[in-house]
Structures are given as C-alpha cells and as structure tokens.
Amino acid sequence: MRYFLAIYVLVIVGAVSILGVRGSFSTKPPLEVFPDMDRQNKLRPQAANGFFASGRTSQPYVAGTIARGAPYQDLPVNTGRISGTTNFVSTIPVVINESLLERGRQRYDINCSPCHGANGDGKGITTKYGMVAVANFHDSRIVKMSAGEIFDTITNGKNLMGSYGANIDISDRWAIIAYLRALQRSRLAVADELPENERAALQ
Ligand code: HEC
C-alpha cells in the first residue's frame, strides 16, 4: 500500500509537470533533444562578406554557365550533326588555332592516350592490362570518319568504348578531335608539302 501511494503521487506529480504547463509561455529557448540542423553556419544571399573581393556573398555566374531551363540549341557545335538532320558534320565546326590544338593535345593525353596511345595507334598502356580491340586512329576508316561521328563517339561511346560526354566538355571534345586530326596528318603528309628548307633537310 505504501508503494502504491508513492507511485500514485509520483504519477500525479509527473502528469501535472508534463501536461500542466501546456499553453503557458516561456521566453527561454526550448529544450532541444534533436537539433535537426536547425541552426547552421551559412552565407545568406545578398549579405555582406569580407571573403570575396566584391564584398558580397552572392557571386556572379561562372563564365559559360547555362541556365537549366535555357532552350537547347540544335547546332553542329553541340550535336556534331547538321542542324535539323541526323547527318554528321564532316569537318570541325569551331575555329582551329594553335591554342585549340594545344588544349586538344593536353586533353587527349589525359582522356584518350591511356587506351588509344600517345600517337593514336591504339596501343595505349591499358592494352597491356587486358583492354582489347582499341581503335587505331591511323586506320583509313577512322581517317575518313567525319568529325561529327568522332564527336558522337566521344560523347556517347561506341561498342566497347565508354562515353566521355560527362567528363569532357563540348569545346574540349572539338579540341581533341582537332588534335586527333593532327595525329592522323602526321602519318599522311608527303614531302612535297614541307617548306622548301625542311624538304632539303629531309633529302
Ligand atoms: C578505356 C579505353 C578508351 C579510352 C579512354 C578511349 N577510347 Fe576510344 N575506343 C576504345 C575502344 C576499345 C574502341 C573500339 C570500340 C569498338 O569498336 O568496340 C575505341 C574506338 C574509338 C573510335 C572509333 C570508333 C569507331 O567507330 O570504330 C574513336 C574515334 C575513338 N575511340 C575516339 C576516342 C577519343 C577521342 C578518346 C578520348 C576522348 C577515346 N576514344 C578514349 C577505348 C577507349
């Protein structure tokens, strides 16, 4: 009976202390058992910020940013195909200059040479570790292949080759193709195309 009374009193005290204060107000912060990331360090848009030179938190878009909802442009440079058709463009639809080729060389060495080899003969390092049937860019079939089809191969992959569209952005794909053409040319040039003095040195 004593225990019953003690428990009875405890239950009443407990119930009143939990339920009895409902509806009353307090200026003290609430007890937080699980804070659920209610408070966190973050930058608020438009707020001042000493970290950036502009003194602002919101920064301008990075050059080349395209809005998610921007209209898709059916242009050869984006698709490798003649606008409005499914036909591949035969040539590279961007301006080719030395800096593009240099960029292409660098991107080729990173992304393609492990399989296709530094000179494009299909004997990259991965062939020593079981990669098979890697295309040789000096095969006449690939020499004749349109630039658009190579663009499509990089973007979507082909047969055993995986796609690199997610890793290599569009301008770099064309840069790689320009360099790939230079690699092919390096084996196709004839002596008559050399400048006078270099032709003499060759003979
Ligand atoms: C992981 C290895 C690997 C990498 C990296 C790779 N390729 Fe390939 N590539 C292949 C293989 C394997 C084939 C042969 C595919 C087949 O016909 O089964 C191939 C085929 C090709 C072809 C010929 C497609 C055809 O129609 O026969 C082209 C062009 C090509 N690759 C370009 C590239 C370029 C450009 C890069 C760099 C951006 C690249 N590849 C990176 C493995 C690779």
Side-chain angles (χ1 to χ4, degrees):
M1 193 63 190
R2 257 187 324 170
Y3 288 123
F4 174 77
L5 276 177
I7 291 168
Y8 186 73
V9 167
L10 270 180
V11 166
I12 293 204
V13 168
V16 168
S17 58
I18 291 171
L19 302 173
V21 291
R22 282 202 310 172
S24 59
F25 296 96
S26 167
T27 51
K28 290 196 203 106
L31 212 96
E32 263 180 327
V33 185
F34 301 109
D36 283 338
M37 294 195 286
D38 279 349
R39 275 155 296 286
Q40 46 189 286
N41 291 328
K42 66 182 170 210
L43 303 177
R44 292 198 175 271
Q46 309 289 345
N49 189 328
F51 182 78
F52 297 106
S54 65
R56 285 179 290 184
T57 287
S58 306
Q59 296 298 301
Y61 297 125
V62 174
T65 304
I66 297 170
R68 185 169 271 263
Y72 171 72
Q73 290 183 300
D74 180 15
L75 296 175
V77 68
N78 291 337
T79 61
R81 293 165 198 265
I82 298 165
S83 304
T85 74
T86 53
N87 300 339
F88 291 121
V89 291
S90 53
T91 53
I92 297 170
V94 299
V95 180
I96 300 170
N97 52 29
E98 201 179 333
S99 70
L100 186 88
L101 280 174
E102 183 51 34
R103 175 76 182 170
R105 183 188 63 77
Q106 190 211 30
R107 294 291 111 180
Y108 177 92
D109 285 349
I110 293 170
N111 294 290
C112 318
S113 72
C115 293
H116 289 281
N119 59 18
D121 60 6
K123 299 201 181 85
I125 184 81
T126 56
T127 58
K128 293 203 175 69
Y129 297 91
M131 190 83 208
V132 290
V134 180
N136 174 355
F137 294 146
H138 304 286
D139 277 352
S140 68
R141 185 177 66 85
I142 296 176
V143 171
K144 289 194 202 111
M145 188 178 278
S146 63
E149 188 170 358
I150 300 178
F151 181 87
D152 186 73
T153 303
I154 302 176
T155 310
N156 302 312
K158 189 174 275 179
N159 304 335
L160 281 177
M161 179 177 147
S163 64
Y164 286 81
N167 308 38
I168 306 172
D169 66 26
I170 285 175
S171 59
D172 283 344
R173 279 173 241 167
W174 291 118
I176 287 172
I177 296 167
Y179 181 68
L180 200 160
R181 288 298 192 220
L183 286 180
Q184 292 174 332
R185 193 92 182 96
S186 71
R187 293 203 183 171
L188 294 172
V190 291
D192 286 350
E193 291 170 337
L194 287 172
E196 198 70 43
N197 52 345
E198 288 182 23
R199 205 184 318 155
L202 190 74
Q203 280 155 2

